[in-house]
Amino acid sequence: MQNSVYDCVILPLSKIHNRAGNITIVEGQTHIPFEVCRIYYLYDIPGGEDRGGHAHKTLHQLIVAASGSFNVLLDDGQNKKIITLNRPDYGLMVVPGIWRELLEFSSGAICLVLASQKYSKDDYIREYDQFIDFKVRIHYK
Ligand code: TYD
């Protein structure tokens, strides 16, 4: 499995409009191609701070700007792309084997993440050199 940044796509989510606001629903395997096992969210991010800076070996994620905006840098070792997330009814699918950095958070931004597995420290690759080695190993498998 040699995932690339082109496998990371923006998914339009549902948006049910109500006179008192909107609701967006995400059901695992229905609206996104994995079951949701874990949810976490980043908030109170100080101005100028970045998050992420790692890759996952097997985890699938949907990243949503539940409030405000931020940029996601995706890197598969060969190609890079930057996606701006700024709407709660769109999510970015991030497949395994992609280096990501979360950048340029707006004030008050909330980054909601739906994840396919429980937290596992062993699923992280936190050094960029190790990420490149991982991609090369997968390529020759
Ligand atoms: P990390 O994933 O490194 O944050 P980010 O990529 O947003 O900068 O996680 C930060 C800390 O939180 C780290 O010590 C691991 C811990 N953590 C958990 O214990 N469980 C989780 O589900 C997550 C996402 C992080």
Side-chain angles (χ1 to χ4, degrees):
M1 170 209 48
Q2 180 63 294
N3 285 333
S4 89
V5 294
Y6 302 108
D7 299 309
C8 299
V9 290
I10 296 267
L11 296 181
L13 304 172
S14 66
K15 179 171 169 182
I16 299 174
H17 183 66
N18 183 289
R19 69 180 167 74
N22 300 316
I23 179 170
T24 291
I25 300 112
V26 183
E27 287 183 4
Q29 297 290 18
T30 307
H31 304 117
I32 53 175
F34 60 85
E35 288 292 0
V36 179
C37 179
R38 175 169 53 114
I39 294 173
Y40 61 92
Y41 36 98
L42 312 177
Y43 55 98
D44 288 348
I45 298 139
E49 289 293 334
D50 302 334
R51 301 292 300 250
H54 61 253
H56 286 281
K57 295 174 191 165
T58 60
L59 190 73
H60 289 75
Q61 291 169 306
L62 184 81
I63 303 180
V64 179
S67 186
S69 66
F70 50 87
N71 290 333
V72 186
L73 170 86
L74 300 171
D75 179 347
D76 59 24
Q78 291 190 317
N79 310 289
K80 292 183 190 196
K81 69 178 184 181
I82 293 183
I83 307 274
T84 298
L85 292 178
N86 56 12
R87 289 178 57 169
D89 56 339
Y90 281 82
L92 172 65
M93 266 280 310
V94 182
V95 295
I98 304 291
W99 186 267
R100 92 287 313 278
E101 294 172 23
L102 307 180
L103 312 163
E104 283 131 29
F105 287 88
S106 68
S107 168
I110 300 177
C111 171
L112 174 67
V113 183
L114 282 58
S116 63
Q117 295 164 25
K118 287 190 177 169
Y119 174 73
S120 160
K121 159 166 101 34
D122 296 338
D123 193 62
Y124 280 74
I125 305 170
R126 290 195 181 272
E127 299 298 329
Y128 191 79
D129 290 355
Q130 287 170 18
F131 168 66
I132 296 299
D133 289 349
F134 173 80
K135 294 300 273 187
V136 170
R137 272 203 311 279
I138 279 187
H139 186 71
Y140 291 107
K141 250 187 189 172

Coordinates of all heavy atoms in Angstrom, one line a residue, residues 38-40 42 50-54 56 61 100 102 117-120 124 126, ligand 1:
R38 N -12.6 6.7 17.6 CA -12.0 7.8 18.5 C -12.3 9.1 17.9 O -12.2 9.3 16.7 CB -10.5 7.5 18.7 CG -9.8 8.5 19.6 CD -8.4 8.0 19.9 NE -7.7 7.6 18.7 CZ -6.6 8.2 18.3 NH1 -6.1 9.2 19.0 NH2 -6.0 7.8 17.2
I39 N -12.6 10.1 18.8 CA -12.7 11.5 18.4 C -11.9 12.3 19.3 O -11.8 12.0 20.5 CB -14.2 11.9 18.6 CG1 -15.1 11.2 17.6 CG2 -14.3 13.4 18.4 CD1 -16.6 11.5 17.8
Y40 N -11.2 13.2 18.8 CA -10.5 14.2 19.6 C -10.5 15.6 18.9 O -10.8 15.6 17.7 CB -9.0 13.8 20.0 CG -8.1 13.6 18.8 CD1 -7.3 14.6 18.4 CD2 -8.0 12.3 18.2 CE1 -6.4 14.4 17.3 CE2 -7.1 12.1 17.1 CZ -6.3 13.2 16.7 OH -5.5 13.0 15.7
L42 N -8.6 19.6 18.9 CA -7.6 20.6 19.2 C -8.2 22.0 19.4 O -9.0 22.4 18.5 CB -6.5 20.6 18.2 CG -6.0 19.3 17.7 CD1 -4.9 19.5 16.6 CD2 -5.4 18.5 18.8
D50 N 2.1 25.5 15.6 CA 1.7 24.4 14.6 C 1.5 23.1 15.4 O 2.0 23.0 16.5 CB 2.9 24.1 13.7 CG 3.3 25.4 12.9 OD1 2.4 26.2 12.7 OD2 4.5 25.5 12.5
R51 N 0.7 22.2 14.8 CA 0.5 20.9 15.4 C 0.8 19.9 14.3 O 1.1 20.2 13.2 CB -1.0 20.8 15.8 CG -1.5 21.8 16.8 CD -0.8 21.7 18.2 NE -1.1 20.4 18.8 CZ -1.8 20.2 19.9 NH1 -2.4 21.2 20.4 NH2 -2.0 19.0 20.4
G52 N 0.6 18.6 14.7 CA 0.9 17.5 13.8 C 2.4 17.3 13.8 O 3.0 17.2 14.8
G53 N 2.9 17.3 12.6 CA 4.4 17.0 12.4 C 4.6 15.5 12.7 O 5.5 15.1 13.4
H54 N 3.8 14.6 12.1 CA 4.0 13.2 12.2 C 3.2 12.5 11.1 O 2.4 13.1 10.4 CB 3.6 12.7 13.6 CG 2.1 12.9 13.9 ND1 1.7 13.9 14.8 CD2 1.0 12.3 13.5 CE1 0.4 13.9 14.9 NE2 -0.1 12.9 14.1
H56 N 1.0 8.5 10.4 CA 0.5 7.3 11.0 C 0.7 6.1 10.1 O 0.6 6.2 8.9 CB -1.0 7.4 11.4 CG -1.2 8.3 12.5 ND1 -1.1 7.9 13.8 CD2 -1.6 9.6 12.6 CE1 -1.3 8.9 14.6 NE2 -1.7 10.0 13.9
Q61 N -8.1 9.0 9.2 CA -8.6 10.2 9.9 C -9.5 11.0 9.0 O -9.2 11.1 7.8 CB -7.5 11.0 10.5 CG -6.7 10.4 11.6 CD -5.5 11.2 12.0 OE1 -4.7 11.5 11.1 NE2 -5.4 11.5 13.2
R100 N 1.8 14.8 8.0 CA 0.9 16.0 8.1 C 1.4 17.0 9.1 O 1.9 16.7 10.2 CB -0.6 15.6 8.3 CG -1.1 15.5 9.7 CD -0.6 14.4 10.6 NE -0.6 13.1 9.9 CZ -1.7 12.4 9.8 NH1 -2.8 12.7 10.5 NH2 -1.7 11.2 9.2
L102 N -0.3 20.7 10.8 CA -1.4 21.6 10.9 C -0.9 23.0 11.2 O -0.2 23.2 12.2 CB -2.4 21.1 12.0 CG -2.9 19.7 11.9 CD1 -3.8 19.3 13.0 CD2 -3.6 19.4 10.6
Q117 N -9.0 4.2 14.8 CA -8.5 3.3 15.8 C -8.2 4.1 17.1 O -8.1 5.3 17.1 CB -7.1 2.8 15.4 CG -7.2 1.9 14.1 CD -5.8 1.7 13.5 OE1 -4.8 1.8 14.2 NE2 -5.7 1.4 12.3
K118 N -8.1 3.3 18.2 CA -7.7 3.9 19.4 C -6.3 4.5 19.4 O -5.5 4.1 18.5 CB -7.8 2.9 20.6 CG -9.2 2.6 20.9 CD -9.3 1.8 22.2 CE -10.8 1.6 22.5 NZ -11.0 0.6 23.5
Y119 N -6.0 5.3 20.3 CA -4.6 5.9 20.4 C -3.6 4.8 20.6 O -3.7 3.9 21.4 CB -4.5 6.9 21.5 CG -3.1 7.4 21.8 CD1 -2.6 8.4 20.9 CD2 -2.4 7.0 22.8 CE1 -1.3 8.8 21.1 CE2 -1.1 7.5 23.0 CZ -0.6 8.4 22.2 OH 0.7 8.8 22.4
S120 N -2.6 4.8 19.7 CA -1.5 3.9 19.9 C -0.2 4.7 19.6 O 0.0 5.1 18.4 CB -1.6 2.7 19.0 OG -0.4 2.1 18.8
Y124 N 2.5 5.9 15.5 CA 3.1 7.2 15.1 C 4.5 7.1 14.5 O 5.3 6.3 15.0 CB 3.2 8.2 16.3 CG 2.0 8.9 16.8 CD1 1.0 8.2 17.4 CD2 1.8 10.3 16.6 CE1 -0.1 8.9 17.9 CE2 0.7 10.9 17.0 CZ -0.3 10.2 17.7 OH -1.4 10.9 18.1
R126 N 7.3 9.9 14.2 CA 7.4 11.3 14.6 C 8.7 12.0 14.0 O 8.9 13.2 14.1 CB 7.4 11.5 16.1 CG 6.1 11.2 16.7 CD 6.0 11.7 18.1 NE 4.7 11.4 18.8 CZ 3.7 12.2 18.7 NH1 3.8 13.4 18.1 NH2 2.5 11.9 19.3
Ligands
TYD1 P1 -0.2 14.5 19.3 O1 -0.9 13.5 18.4 O2 1.3 14.6 19.2 O3 -0.8 16.0 19.0 P2 -0.6 16.9 17.7 O4 -0.3 16.0 16.5 O5 -2.0 17.5 17.5 O6 0.4 18.0 17.9 O7 -0.7 14.3 20.8 C1 -0.4 15.2 21.8 C2 -0.3 14.4 23.1 O8 -1.6 13.9 23.4 C3 0.6 13.3 23.1 O9 1.3 13.3 24.3 C4 -0.2 12.1 22.9 C5 -1.5 12.5 23.6 N1 -2.7 11.8 22.9 C6 -3.3 10.8 23.6 O10 -3.0 10.4 24.7 N2 -4.4 10.2 23.0 C7 -4.8 10.6 21.7 O11 -5.8 10.1 21.2 C8 -4.1 11.7 21.0 C9 -4.5 12.2 19.7 C10 -3.0 12.2 21.7

